[in-house]
Every structure is written in structure tokens, then in C-alpha cells.
């Protein structure tokens, strides 16, 4: 008798036993155990049934020694705790990532990189291969982290991007198109003195949303010299400060596009503090369609981006690249949608 098929009570089932019972190869069993998508549904069901029948328990330690896998990925956010807690974008991405990993054996490690000590800790984790791959959120143009991960050869997927031809895989929203749609909506409402509170210009997301606004204004025949722009930092207080500056420069402005819902919430507060009615005096449009948009006063017109989908997609993309590092890089831009509410 083949010892691999010995199912006596005192014999511990092996991956070979499972493969024989399921009628598949050991590689297929390994892929199912590791949560790979490179398995047909029929084969997956057969393997799972065999595992249940035999009471097979994968030895993750032994598997790690063979595959050099840790079965862990890092979600790296190079921002402060205050930004992580205040911006709905981050929590939505984390929900999407967690949901995508829920049915796999992959552990998620959340890492904030706020200072040099934490950057060194991440560098050491990468060097020692404590994780199989990295999901990087909130990418700044001159941040060395993406280049560090790229040079280390560690599978890495970005939520967002540094530029359109970024060599790393990325998933992002159609930031330029969404911003242009927001401005066209304001123009259709008869607004002509449209201001923009842009995001940080060292981030591609900030530049793209600003460029989308400017393109829509130019197409409407509004000269570039009349464009009213203040740069914010994706925070509520930063947006209030930007709004004060815009009102001093252009007290007759009649609309504002904010590059995030959180900044739009700050703009609404500042406009109210200065006696401006929304939308009667000034229309306001945000970007994201986070839970904030439904609870501002008035409810916020905004550009909906599929934030949880971004999180889920980057997680699934990373798992595929860990399984097969030779795969072509993924460059995926997801559609956005304008959601009209009372603020415009």
C-alpha cells in the first residue's frame, strides 16, 4: 500500500494524501491551501472536500520553510495617526483589503511610517523577508519607500500612483475625469467663479484632480488667469485656511470644488462662519463620497470613487504577484461617478 494513502487513525494526513483523495496534483492542493486564485472552482471544491474528510491540517511552519513564505503581507501607510483616524479614505481601503484577505491564510500587518525609526523598522522587515509583499497607501512623489521596495524585489502594489507610468502595480480612481465631471456640473448650474481647493501637489492624486478641474474650465472658455486655486493638505483645518484665502482674493466666487470630502466639510464650516449660504451663495462639491458626504449640512454633492474596491483589488493583485512574480504589472484606473446632493 502507498504510505501516502494510509488513513489509519494514528496516521497524519499529508498533502499527498489530500491530492490522492481529491484526484489532483500536489501543486493544486498547495495552491488551494495558500489561497491562490490559479485553481478551477471544481478542483478547489474537490480539495476542500478531501481536506474536510481527512481532517488535514496544513503545517504552516513547514510550508514556510519549503516556500520561503510568511503568509503575511504589510499594509503600509506613511501618514500620521491623526490622518489615519480622520480620513474616511483610509478606513475604507482597510475594509476592502481585509475583506479580500478574509478567505485566505494571509495575515495582514498594518504599519504606519511616521518617522525615521519606523522607516528603519520597515526596511529591516523587508530585508529579512518578514512579509511576502506590501500594499502601499498614500503615495507621495519623493517618498523613497516605493523605490526601496522595488529594489528589494518584494511584490508591491500601490493604492494610487506616483505617475501614470509607475513601474510598480497600482490601482487608482479616475481622478482627472472625476474632477472634470464635478466642475462641469457646477458650470451646468450656472456657476462661473469656480474655485478649487486642491490636494497636496507632491501627490499624483492632488495634481490629477487639479488638472481635471482646470481642463473643464478651459473647455468652458474660462481663461486660465481666472482660475482660483488654493492648495490644501486633505485636512479639515487646512481646507478652512485655504477657503479663507480664496474669499480674501475673490469675495465674489460662487462655487468651490474640494479635492476630498473631508476638505469639503471644512469649506462648508468656513463658508457658514463667514455668512455664505450653501448652495444659494456658493455651491460646493467634494470628492470620494465617504460617509461624511451624507452627514454634512447641507448633504454634499461629491464624486464617488470605489474606495473599498480599490482596497480589495490591490490585495488580490498582490496575492497574484506573490504567487507569480513574473506577471505583467497591473495599472488599473477605476471609474468614478458624480453624486448630486443639496450642496450644489
Amino acid at each position: 500500500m502507498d504510505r501516502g494513502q494510509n488513513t489509519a487513525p494514528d496516521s497524519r494526513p499529508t498533502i499527498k494524501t489530500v491530492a490522492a483523495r481529491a484526484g489532483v496534483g500536489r501543486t493544486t492542493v498547495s495552491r488551494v491551501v495558500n489561497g491562490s486564485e490559479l485553481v478551477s472552482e471544481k478542483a478547489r471544491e474537490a480539495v476542500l472536500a478531501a481536506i474536510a474528510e481527512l481532517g488535514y491540517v496544513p503545517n504552516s511552519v513547514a510550508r514556510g520553510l519549503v516556500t520561503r513564505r510568511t503568509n503575511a503581507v504589510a499594509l503600509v501607510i506613511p501618514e500620521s495617526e491623526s490622518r489615519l483616524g480622520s480620513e474616511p479614505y483610509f478606513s475604507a481601503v482597510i475594509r476592502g483589503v481585509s475583506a479580500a484577505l478574509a478567505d485566505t491564510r494571509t495575515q495582514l500587518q498594518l504599519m504606519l511610517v511616521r518617522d525615521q525609526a519606523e522607516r528603519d523598522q520597515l526596511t529591516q522587515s523587508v530585508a529579512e523577508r518578514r512579509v511576502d509583499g506590501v500594499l502601499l497607501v498614500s503615495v507621495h512623489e519623493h517618498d523613497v519607500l516605493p523605490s526601496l521596495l522595488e529594489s528589494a524585489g518584494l511584490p508591491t502594489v500601490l493604492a494610487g500612483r506616483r505617475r501614470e507610468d509607475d513601474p510598480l502595480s497600482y490601482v487608482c480612481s479616475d481622478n482627472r475625469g472625476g474632477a472634470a465631471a464635478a466642475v462641469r456640473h457646477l458650470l451646468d448650474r450656472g456657476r462661473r467663479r469656480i474655485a478649487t481647493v486642491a490636494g497636496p501637489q507632491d501627490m499624483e492624486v492632488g495634481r490629477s484632480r487639479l488638472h481635471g478641474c482646470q481642463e473643464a474650465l478651459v473647455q468652458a472658455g474660462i481663461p486660465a488667469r481666472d482660475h482660483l486655486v488654493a492648495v490644501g493638505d486633505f485636512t479639515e483645518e487646512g481646507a478652512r485656511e485655504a477657503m479663507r484665502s480664496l474669499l480674501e482674493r475673490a469675495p465674489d466666487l460662487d462655487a468651490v470644488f474640494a479635492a476630498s470630502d473631508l476638505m469639503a466639510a471644512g469649506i462648508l464650516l468656513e463658508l457658514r462662519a463667514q455668512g455664505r449660504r450653501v448652495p444659494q451663495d456658493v455651491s460646493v462639491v467634494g470628492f470620494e463620497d465617504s460617509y461624511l458626504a451624507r452627514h454634512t449640512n447641507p448633504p454634499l454633492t461629491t464624486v464617488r470613487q470605489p474606495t473599498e474596491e480599490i482596497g480589495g483589488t490591490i490585495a488580490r493583485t498582490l496575492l497574484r504577484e506573490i504567487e507569480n512574480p513574473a506577471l505583467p504589472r497591473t495599472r488599473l484606473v477605476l471609474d468614478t461617478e458624480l453624486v448630486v446632493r443639496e450642496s450644489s
Side-chain angles (χ1 to χ4, degrees):
M1 173 182 284
D2 183 344
R3 293 184 181 180
Q5 297 186 38
N6 182 4
T7 57
D10 60 345
S11 177
R12 190 176 192 179
T14 67
I15 196 168
K16 185 177 179 181
T17 316
V18 174
R21 178 65 62 90
V24 299
R26 281 177 287 184
T27 299
T28 299
V29 177
S30 178
R31 285 175 175 169
V32 172
V33 168
N34 284 288
S36 170
E37 297 181 0
L38 302 176
V39 181
S40 71
E41 193 57 35
K42 181 179 178 181
R44 188 185 307 279
E45 290 176 359
V47 170
L48 292 176
I51 288 173
E53 290 172 14
L54 297 169
Y56 172 66
V57 178
N59 187 330
S60 60
V61 175
R63 187 168 64 248
L65 291 173
V66 173
T67 64
R68 301 182 64 83
R69 299 271 182 85
T70 63
N71 292 325
V73 298
L75 176 61
V76 178
I77 303 178
E79 300 289 353
S80 65
E81 281 181 325
S82 61
R83 280 204 66 192
L84 180 65
S86 64
E87 284 198 36
Y89 172 80
F90 294 122
S91 59
V93 169
I94 293 170
R95 285 196 302 272
V97 170
S98 299
L101 298 180
D103 294 330
T104 74
R105 293 181 177 275
T106 305
Q107 294 181 330
L108 180 64
Q109 300 179 9
L110 177 62
M111 301 180 68
L112 298 185
V113 180
R114 295 160 292 191
D115 54 30
Q116 189 59 47
E118 290 177 341
R119 189 179 299 275
D120 292 342
Q121 181 181 359
L122 174 60
T123 302
Q124 185 174 358
S125 295
V126 170
E128 297 177 357
R129 285 297 195 270
R130 296 178 191 169
V131 293
D132 296 327
V134 170
L135 301 166
L136 185 57
V137 182
S138 191
V139 185
H140 293 260
E141 182 178 13
H142 301 299
D143 194 333
V144 299
L145 282 179
S147 298
L148 166 69
L149 296 168
E150 185 181 2
S151 62
L154 191 69
T156 301
V157 181
L158 310 179
R161 59 190 180 187
R162 291 169 290 179
R163 54 188 184 275
E164 289 186 10
D165 62 344
D166 202 305
L168 293 172
S169 290
Y170 64 76
V171 181
C172 65
S173 295
D174 181 9
N175 294 302
R176 186 184 296 250
V183 171
R184 286 195 295 269
H185 167 73
L186 292 169
L187 291 165
D188 290 343
R189 287 288 200 267
R191 306 294 174 159
R192 288 297 178 270
R193 294 284 283 163
I194 301 173
T196 301
V197 177
Q201 295 302 287
D202 69 336
M203 301 180 73
E204 196 273 344
V205 61
R207 296 192 300 271
S208 288
R209 291 178 187 176
L210 177 58
H211 293 162
C213 293
Q214 293 173 328
E215 287 171 2
L217 291 170
V218 169
Q219 289 169 2
I222 298 176
R225 65 176 180 276
D226 291 339
H227 295 180
L228 308 170
V229 179
V231 176
D233 57 0
F234 285 141
T235 69
E236 182 179 296
E237 186 51 47
R240 293 195 69 165
E241 183 178 343
M243 192 68 246
R244 287 192 288 270
S245 171
L246 286 168
L247 288 170
E248 289 173 2
R249 290 156 47 196
D252 60 339
L253 64 84
D254 58 12
V256 184
F257 168 73
S260 76
D261 286 353
L262 184 59
M263 291 204 298
I267 288 165
L268 290 173
L269 291 174
E270 188 60 34
L271 288 170
R272 187 176 302 115
Q274 299 210 21
R276 306 297 181 98
R277 299 170 301 165
V278 177
Q280 295 91 334
D281 301 326
V282 182
S283 292
V284 178
V285 179
F287 201 115
E288 189 178 346
D289 195 29
S290 65
Y291 67 84
L292 282 176
R294 297 182 293 279
H295 299 290
T296 56
N297 182 22
L300 184 66
T301 293
T302 184
V303 177
R304 177 180 293 158
Q305 67 172 356
T307 311
E308 284 196 37
E309 184 181 347
I310 290 174
T313 304
I314 61 173
R316 290 187 292 271
T317 300
L318 182 62
L319 292 180
R320 286 195 296 269
E321 293 194 6
I322 291 171
E323 185 71 25
N324 185 358
L327 285 174
R329 298 289 79 89
T330 295
R331 295 185 177 91
L332 185 59
V333 179
L334 302 180
D335 290 338
T336 56
E337 175 188 1
L338 184 70
V339 180
V340 179
R341 298 191 180 95
E342 287 87 336
S343 70
S344 62

